[in-house]
Amino acid sequence: MSAQLRSGYHFEPIEALPEPPAEWRALDHAVARWVVAHGGAVQTAAAAGWASWAEGSGHTAIPLRRDDGTAGTADRAHWPALSIRDLEALKADPLVTCPVPGEQVLAPFVLDRDHFFLRRSYIAECAVAAHVRTRVAATDAASTVTDADLDVLFAGDTDVRVQPQREAVRRVVGRRFFVLTGGPGTGKTTTVLRMLTMLTCDRARRGLPEAVIRAAAPTGKAAQRLAESLREGAARFSESLGSVRDSSSEDWAAHLACAVRAEASTLHRLLGSRGQSGFSRSAGSPVPADIVVVDEASMIDLALLRALFEALREDTVLILVGDADQLTSVGAGSALLDIVSAFEGSRATDAAAAPPLVRLTHSFRSDAVLVPINEAVRAGDPVALNTAFVAAGERFEHRRVETPSDCQQALEAWAARMHRCLAAAGAFDPVPPERTDLVAKALDGLRHCQLLCALREGEFGAQDAARQLERSLRDRMPGDWPDEWYPGRAVMITRNDYTTGLSNGDTGICLQDKGGRLAVWFEIASDPERSNAQPVSGTHRRFVRFAPGNLPDHRSAAAITIHKSQGSEYDHAAVLLPPDASHQILCRQLVYTALSRAKRSTELWATQESLHRCIEQKVSRHGALAARVAAADNSGTA
């Protein structure tokens, strides 16, 4: 029997691969070995291993030629330099396809536009580009916006500073896809509210039913903030609309009310996430909405954006909102930045052909002393940045943190500030469960000050910093709280949990009632049907509470990573960078995202060398989405 079994196997020696590069993970090496085991060329194996590594690093492909047309790589010296012979070997390999328009891509690897792709990344990139171009082409010329409409929506304000906002409202009507980008304080949410109001008005003029509007964001915190911003903006906006009727007797207040009724949720909840099994919403079962607004779109990776496009009806209006200069998604791709780059490179010669994009640049914050800092970082201008630091005066502090001892001293000072903020918010006082107004005040206190860390782990990471801050807070509190839970403790949920209804990024605060019992309170974006949701009287804010032991995966929010801070703003923010100026995480987008979270004051805990490294290093993700969106021929086929 054993001889027969042995005769049924054919073990063929395969050409040994070179020692894998130090950057490769076990997965990358496994991909390369798979190629050789299936008869692929050694050149293909090397390219496949690097493509796997690149995807894990956020890229959708690896570039195979320099800008000057010579063989090699773009800007990563450790990526393999491929000779012309290497490229010919890739093209001849049956595991690699050079796609032809109209043909289905079946090979596991793709060589296209001087980029080498894993098949899934190539298909996702082509699909997103095709959806964008199809939606851009599907305009409705019958829908128009008059100057009178804009005057009503902007209370007659025609100042040059609001012209981009007015233009966004004018351009969005009649389109199936629109992008609104801009930095903090530029009025994105204010503009979105007026865009939604104008879209509902347009539907009424065309005799269509009232719009079903859904609002979403990648994280629970961002979704909550979007819903809150829309409500606050509507309260201010309604004062100017209450008695206004234009020459056509439009009931603008009713259109605004429709816009504010938008249900807000995480993007995964909107798509009906099934965890690793994908989403329940798809072309066969689309999202039941006429208008979908997605905030913080810079956080959306390529695969998730594809899922979003494929889950919408053809006639649904999709509006992406976000800051294209922020950190890109954790997953592969820089979808928002690529789409914005493609649209801004458009050479439209008339307003009708203008791309569906508006970039807002003017900051409307009443306290704009920090705006020049953000702009200098965004532009990568170290001279302007130093000038902005000086001009900010006491609103900015640069603390040199070079050693663990330096970091500990900074954390002790920050803990004292946190204690004062939480005490002022009543976070340490007994809060009866029915007093949701006091819960709201305590949760709002978490926005007063926040430490943001570039790293998650290590001596200069968020986890170690959070432990020290919590220890300092407990030492300052009356009573004995030996356990990790104590009044005023802030926690962040780290994974979506549909049993509790909590989402990744949701931030809660631990409060005690009059009997000393602890509960962790969260504000939810919009879900009035939840039986345990307790509203604040007279507002749309709703809260839920859980026993500490019933929470899904979570960690302390006393200090969080800069990535986790996206979608949030704080009165006062401190930013901790690693002192090693050669650390690969340091880049311009990182420090821009961090510093732009602060509304009133900010502290930068960093060496001068690390800061300079951030300003100099602007990270770009490799792929061809921008080229596909901009190209006249976008015929990638899945």
Side-chain angles (χ1 to χ4, degrees), residues 310-373:
E310 294 180 351
L312 299 181
R313 302 193 313 256
E314 292 182 359
D315 63 341
T316 297
V317 178
L318 174 61
I319 303 173
L320 298 183
V321 185
D323 187 346
D325 296 307
Q326 279 191 44
L327 282 168
T328 50
S329 61
V330 174
S334 50
L336 180 65
L337 177 61
D338 291 342
I339 293 171
V340 169
S341 299
F343 286 165
E344 290 188 328
S346 172
R347 299 180 179 179
T349 56
D350 58 83
L357 165 75
V358 166
R359 179 186 285 273
L360 306 179
T361 57
H362 178 78
S363 177
F364 290 89
R365 285 179 173 170
S366 57
D367 187 356
V369 70
L370 300 180
V371 172
I373 294 177

Side-chain angles (χ1 to χ4, degrees), residues 13-62:
I14 63 175
E15 184 177 352
L17 285 170
E19 186 70 20
E23 295 90 346
W24 280 15
R25 304 162 298 173
L27 173 62
D28 310 328
H29 194 202
V31 170
R33 290 184 60 82
W34 182 93
V35 171
V36 176
H38 286 75
V42 173
Q43 295 92 332
T44 303
W50 280 113
S52 173
W53 174 88
E55 186 181 73
S57 301
H59 308 279
T60 55
I62 57 173

